[in-house]
Amino acid sequence: DTEVTQTPKHLVMGMTNKKSLKCEQHMGHRAMYWYKQKAKKPPELMFVYSYEKLSINESVPSRFSPECPNSSLLNLHLHALQPEDSALYLCASSQDRGISGANVLTFGAGSRLTVL
Amino acid sequence: RKEVEQDPGPFNVPEGATVAFNCTYSNSASQSFFWYRQDCRKEPKLLMSVYSSGNEDGRFTAQLNRASQYISLLIRDSKLSDSATYLCVVNMEQAGTALIFGKGTTLSVSS
C-alpha cells in the first residue's frame, strides 16, 4: 500500500466544471509535489510546496491552482480545463527538499483525469 | 538548463541477459541522483539512489560519473519481472527547480 493517498482515482470533468484533486501523507514529510504525466511520457513537475509554502511553480497555467492546507494535505484545484489537460496527476512527498538523502520521492497512485 | 536525457528504448532482452542504461544531466551542480521504476499504469517507485562511489543492490548496480555528468544502471541476470520503464531522476535544485525526470527507458524481458 502506498503511503501517499490520492483521491479520486479517476475523474471525468467538462471544460466548465470546477473540481479538486486531493493528496494526503502521514509520514511527516515537509515537501509535497504535483507532477503531471501524459501517456508514454515522464512525470513533469508542476508545483512544489516546502513547509506548506509554495516554492516552485513551473509556469503552470492558472487554471491549475494548488493549495496546501497543512503539512499532510495537498490539493490541486481545477477550473476551466482543456481536453489536453487530460493526464495522470501524481502527488509525491519527500522528507525535505534539496538535502541529499532527504529528497527521495514517494508517489501516490495518481488521479487519472479526463477532460471532455 | 534543466535537462535529463536517457537512452532511447525500448530494450528487448532475453531472460538472463545483462542490460545497461545511461542517463546524462545538464546541471553540473546537481547533488542527488536516483533510478525509479514505473510499471504500466502505476506510479513511479524508487529503485535505488545513486551515490558517488557507486552502489549495488542485488542484481542492480548504479554508478555516477560527475566529470562526464552521467549516471548508469546495470541489471544483471534479467528476470521477466524486470520489464518496466526505468526513469532517471536528477535533483535540479541549483537550477531553480526540483527533481526532474528523464524520458525513461523501456525494458522488455522475454522468456
Side-chain angles (χ1 to χ4, degrees):
Chain A
D1 285 342
T2 185
E3 294 175 87
V4 177
T5 304
Q6 289 188 243
T7 55
K9 289 196 184 329
H10 300 275
L11 177 63
V12 179
M13 60 187 290
M15 289 191 283
T16 57
N17 292 158
K18 281 187 184 180
K19 297 284 184 186
S20 296
L21 305 180
K22 296 184 183 304
C23 175
E24 189 168 4
Q25 57 88 13
H26 293 289
M27 295 180 281
H29 287 180
R30 303 317 301 264
M32 295 186 78
Y33 309 74
W34 281 114
Y35 283 84
K36 171 182 175 178
Q37 187 174 27
K38 305 271 277 183
K40 299 190 187 303
K41 299 285 187 187
E44 200 178 300
L45 184 64
M46 300 175 72
F47 302 104
V48 182
Y49 273 81
S50 181
Y51 291 81
E52 299 158 53
K53 291 192 180 345
L54 181 65
S55 53
I56 293 177
N57 175 344
E58 287 284 351
S59 303
V60 179
S62 60
R63 56 186 186 269
F64 294 93
S65 174
E67 178 198 17
C68 188
N70 61 54
S71 60
S72 300
L73 292 174
L74 184 66
N75 298 324
L76 186 63
H77 302 299
L78 314 170
H79 175 52
L81 295 194
Q82 305 295 312
E84 60 264 28
D85 295 322
S86 299
L88 179 67
Y89 289 83
L90 292 160
C91 173
S93 68
S94 67
Q95 190 176 337
D96 210 319
R97 269 189 68 203
I99 299 172
S100 189
N103 57 359
V104 174
L105 294 174
T106 300
F107 281 90
S111 291
R112 194 164 296 279
L113 173 68
T114 302
V115 182
L116 301 176
Chain B
R1 287 172 57 222
K2 311 170 188 177
E3 291 162 9
V4 179
E5 300 288 342
Q6 281 188 249
D7 282 347
F11 283 61
N12 298 305
V13 303
E15 272 186 294
T18 296
V19 61
F21 306 139
N22 290 328
C23 168
T24 59
Y25 58 94
S26 59
N27 189 335
S28 59
S30 293
Q31 295 292 321
S32 305
F33 310 89
F34 309 91
W35 284 101
Y36 277 73
R37 170 193 169 130
Q38 187 170 26
D39 292 288
C40 189
R41 300 185 71 80
K42 298 282 194 181
E43 74 274 21
K45 293 191 175 174
L46 178 70
L47 180 65
M48 55 200 305
S49 301
V50 186
Y51 303 120
S52 296
S53 53
N55 47 302
E56 189 174 307
D57 182 2
R59 298 181 292 108
F60 299 84
T61 301
Q63 296 205 309
L64 167 64
N65 183 320
R66 284 191 187 275
S68 301
Q69 293 178 215
Y70 81 80
I71 66 174
S72 63
L73 177 68
L74 182 77
I75 306 175
R76 289 181 299 277
D77 189 22
S78 299
K79 311 287 184 196
L80 294 175
S81 56
D82 294 333
S83 298
T85 297
Y86 290 84
L87 296 153
C88 170
V89 182
V90 177
N91 187 351
M92 296 274 190
E93 293 276 349
Q94 293 79 4
T97 181
L99 291 153
I100 301 299
F101 284 73
K103 286 185 168 51
T105 302
T106 300
L107 172 65
S108 178
V109 182
S110 55
S111 56

